Structure formats: C-alpha cells, structure tokens
Amino acid sequence: MTYSKPEIEKAFLGCLMTESALTLDVARRFNISEAWFTDATCRTIWATCVLINDPMRINTLAVYDRLNGSINRRLIDDCVDAMITSQHCLHYAEILRDNYIRRRLENITLEFKDAAANPDKSGTELIGEMQECISDLSLIRPSSRTPEQRYNDILDQWRAAHDKKGGGLLTRWIGLNTLLGGWRKGMVYVIAGRPGQGKSTLLANEIMHQIKKGVSVSLASIEMTENQICSRMLAEDSDMSSFRLDIGNSTDEDWPVLVSKAGAHAKLPLRVYDSSMSIDDFVAWATVEVHHHKAELLAIDYLQIMASTKRYESRNAEVSAWMNIIRETIKRLDVPLLLVSQLRRSESGSDTTEPRLGELRDSGAIEQNACGVILINEKDEKEDRYQVHLAKNRFGPTGIISMKFSRGRQRFENWEDAVKTSQKQDGIGEYKESGE
C-alpha cells in the first residue's frame, strides 16, 4: 500500500495519540524530529506531543487542550483515522524515514549543483563535502550495533555470567538455577499449571525473592488485587499463614514482626497494576514500566484472562496474536517476562496425570514464543512434594525439580537433591547460590 506524505505523517501521529508508549519508543529508536514532517499541522501536533512527554497523558483530547483550540479538532481526529492500527507505527516510521531521506537528497543535489558552479572550489573538496552529507544520511536508521560492539557485548555477558554463576536473574530455587541459569533479558518464561496447583504462589515467591535482592519488578495482576498480593507476600516473608491472619487468628506476638516487615516491604522496588488489561494495554504498560520506572523484571498473572479488543476467527488465533506481540515487545524492551498460563484439563479427565506442553491452554503459540516453560504438578499431597518440570529450555537442558510446598505459609522451598535432568549438558550442577 502506498501513502501520500501527509497521510503517512498523520498515520504515525495517530499511533502516537492512541498507543503513546510504543510509538514514543519507536520514535526514540529512529531519532524522529520535527524536520521529518512536511505538513505544518503535523509538525505542530508532533511538537505538542513532545512537550507533553508523558506516554500516559498523550491523547487526542490532551493535544487539543494543549493547543487551546488553535487547530481544528477534526484535523487531530484525522490522524487517528489515517492509521490502520497502532501496531503499524514501526512501518509508518520506516516510510517517514525514507521520505525524509529523499527530501534531504533533493536538497543536497540542489546545493551541490550551485556549489559545482563555484570556480573557487576544487573537485576534491566538492566530493569530500558530498560524501560527508551522504554519510550523515546513512546514519538515519534504527539504532543498531557494529559487529565489534555485538561481540564485545557477548563477551561482557559471559563475564557477568561467570562472576555471578548464572546467565540472568538467579531464581529463588537452586534446582531451577542449575537447569535455567536465571531469567534472561528479552525472554518470555511461562509458568503453567492446572487450577489450584500453585502458579500464582510460585510467581509471588519469585517476585519476593527478586525485590528483596533490589531487583525492580513490575507485576500486572489481572486475577488478584494489589492488597491481596502484598498481604500474601507480607505473611510469607513474616513466616506466617495469610489465611490465619485473614480470619483474625493473629496473636500479640505476631504484630511486632508484621509491623517491622510491613515497613521494610513498603520500601521494596515492586509496582503492581491490578486492573483489566488488553494486549494493547500490555504494550503500553510494559514500555512505561521499563523506560520510565526502570523495571528489570516484568510479570503477568495470567494470560488467559487478558481482555479482548477485537474479533478473531478463533480463540487459538487470538492467543497466538497476543503471544507474538508479547514476544516482540519483551525482545524490544530487553527484560525478562514471567507469564502465568493455565493448562487444559488432561485428556483422561483427571488432574492427577502429569502435565504436558501440549496442554497449554488456547494456543500452541504459547510454547513456541516462550524461551522456557515451567509446568507445576502436585506429586505427593501427604509430603507436600511438588514436581516442577522445566519442560522447555531454549538455551539449555530440560529437567524435573522437586520442591516442598508449605501450605500454611504459601511457600515453595528447595528440596535436597531436587534436580533430575533429562539430558546431559556441560556445566550442569555448577550453579550455586548462597543464602538459600
């Protein structure tokens, strides 16, 4: 599809006013400026959005109010009408870049036509100046790394992994670190299980572990409220039963511990978003949390109750589209994402059978787009022994980890000699983490 210059400029601004966080991130990558817009109205709208400079506040109404009615509201709405969807903002930015380069080349051609007529300039000088201009234009592209920088980054990454004995954010559980090596940047990790098997509890335990280490975590909890999540974490960290506290069975001895822990928890780097979320909301939320609030780890609980914003031919197609967007967003933001997902009921109709990758509910794209998939299964109710199966690991071995579940305190704990690997791999068993 071809676009006129004003159309593509309006379409990009439409994205900016409907999906601000994503579009601003693209604009930063391309280093877009006011000079990229030829239409005077588009330049004014762009400059106004830059002045607002807050992804949560940029929208058509805010732009119109900021301009005090100096531009007809219909012209602002035309920008939104010009776009297909906000997910096309990268495509629009590429066309904007090409149009800007073409205009600059036209201007350079005219400038050097006049310069060539100047007898005081030598041919060598003219060629040097033209090459410099062309070289500047060649730099107008999305930010990228040179081969030398790429390999230096790889070496730095391996040095850091050697120093901390892990390839990412080390988890709470020694057995999982042995197989996984930590949560890696730019990767999606799925935590899956059938209803009531402890998916949200495992996630909460891991978040508590990370924020106590000083890692900034942002959680989108679509199932539980912020108060419910924080009360669970506070009770677990205080070595108490949240249920006992909820029903009023606390003791006088509990309160000094709870008050002290609550004060410490209030300073931990955790942000919780507990409203409904669509896939477009996710992109904006994730971008703001990483760029503005400096989140180092993102988490969603859980995938299947995200809100739909448009019709798909099937639920499978919808979740597949979601997973593609989630993977690309996390890859762009370069932080790990822990994504809770439900499993389908087993084919036998019983929840006693061991879960399998094929039971990930609604779409096989969940497995395809994930770097790692963790399946939770209660193995022995009497001993509170759980089997945590790393069923997919893109960068290493898969395997089964045994964990002990403390029901009263809602805590998954390390189990001695807990790891059973399903394949041989160099370096397995070398990861250690003190204090666990």
Side-chain angles (χ1 to χ4, degrees), residues 24-309:
L24 281 174
D25 186 55
V26 170
R28 279 192 289 266
R29 287 177 57 201
F30 280 79
N31 199 25
I32 293 175
S33 68
E34 191 175 331
W36 286 40
F37 299 88
T38 57
D39 183 82
T41 301
C42 290
R43 285 198 300 271
T44 302
I45 294 173
W46 165 261
T48 304
C49 292
V50 170
L51 283 174
I52 296 173
N53 197 32
D54 183 347
M56 304 303 288
R57 293 174 53 233
I58 296 176
N59 54 60
T60 55
L61 182 59
V63 171
Y64 181 74
D65 289 344
R66 191 69 176 254
L67 290 169
N68 294 318
S70 61
I71 289 181
N72 189 298
R73 176 63 187 269
R74 182 64 246 174
L75 295 176
I76 296 174
D77 293 338
D78 285 344
C79 294
V80 177
D81 294 339
M83 70 175 190
I84 299 174
T85 73
S86 57
Q87 299 300 318
H88 285 72
C89 64
L90 179 60
H91 174 60
Y92 297 146
E94 289 171 343
I95 299 176
L96 272 179
R97 178 196 60 195
D98 289 344
N99 288 343
Y100 175 67
I101 289 174
R102 290 175 192 278
R103 291 198 304 275
R104 289 287 297 119
L105 284 172
E106 290 172 0
N107 292 334
I108 289 170
T109 301
L110 292 174
E111 290 169 7
F112 278 93
K113 182 180 178 181
D114 293 336
N118 184 353
D120 295 330
K121 288 235 178 193
S122 69
T124 302
E125 287 177 317
L126 289 171
I127 291 172
E129 290 174 4
M130 181 170 282
Q131 286 177 337
E132 185 175 347
C133 290
I134 298 298
S135 177
D136 289 343
L137 283 180
S138 69
L139 298 176
I140 303 175
R141 65 181 69 181
S143 57
S144 59
R145 312 289 284 166
T146 65
E148 291 80 8
Q149 290 171 323
R150 273 200 306 272
Y151 283 103
N152 284 336
D153 287 346
I154 291 170
L155 294 175
D156 289 343
Q157 177 184 325
W158 284 348
R159 288 189 191 101
H162 175 268
D163 292 341
K164 66 180 182 179
K165 300 303 178 186
L169 296 173
L170 291 175
T171 77
R172 180 173 185 152
W173 303 282
I174 296 172
L176 195 55
N177 289 333
T178 301
L179 296 178
L180 200 58
W183 314 116
R184 298 175 184 238
K185 292 182 177 180
M187 299 298 164
V188 178
Y189 295 89
V190 173
I191 300 172
R194 300 190 183 106
Q197 290 290 296
K199 304 180 296 294
S200 297
T201 300
L202 188 82
L203 178 67
N205 288 174
E206 177 58 11
I207 290 174
M208 188 72 245
H209 172 69
Q210 295 296 339
I211 59 178
K212 287 180 74 174
K213 293 195 302 181
V215 176
S216 180
V217 179
S218 292
L219 165 65
S221 175
I222 312 171
E223 185 175 36
M224 293 190 292
T225 66
E226 181 175 6
N227 276 358
Q228 290 170 334
I229 293 162
C230 292
S231 63
R232 272 194 181 191
M233 290 183 176
L234 178 59
E236 185 262 322
D237 194 36
S238 302
D239 205 29
M240 300 178 193
S241 165
S242 60
F243 176 72
R244 179 171 66 83
L245 296 170
D246 287 341
I247 63 174
N249 283 349
S250 57
T251 65
D252 291 340
E253 290 77 17
D254 293 335
W255 289 101
V257 177
L258 289 170
V259 171
S260 174
K261 290 286 186 180
H265 276 224
K267 300 175 183 177
L268 293 175
L270 172 65
R271 288 174 52 81
V272 180
Y273 176 92
D274 60 1
S275 300
S276 63
M277 175 179 280
S278 68
I279 191 62
D280 289 338
D281 293 333
F282 161 76
V283 175
W285 168 80
T287 305
V288 169
E289 292 302 314
V290 172
H291 287 313
H292 186 66
H293 298 293
K294 309 303 179 186
E296 300 168 85
L297 175 67
L298 300 178
I300 298 179
D301 187 12
Y302 61 92
L303 174 67
Q304 279 77 15
I305 54 176
M306 290 181 72
S308 298
T309 54

Side-chain angles (χ1 to χ4, degrees), residues 20 57 82 116 211 261 279 320 345 347 383 389 422 436:
S20 307
R57 293 174 53 233
I211 59 178
K261 290 286 186 180
I279 191 62
S320 294
R345 297 283 182 182
E347 295 176 0
E383 291 188 359
H389 183 194
S422 60
E436 292 296 318

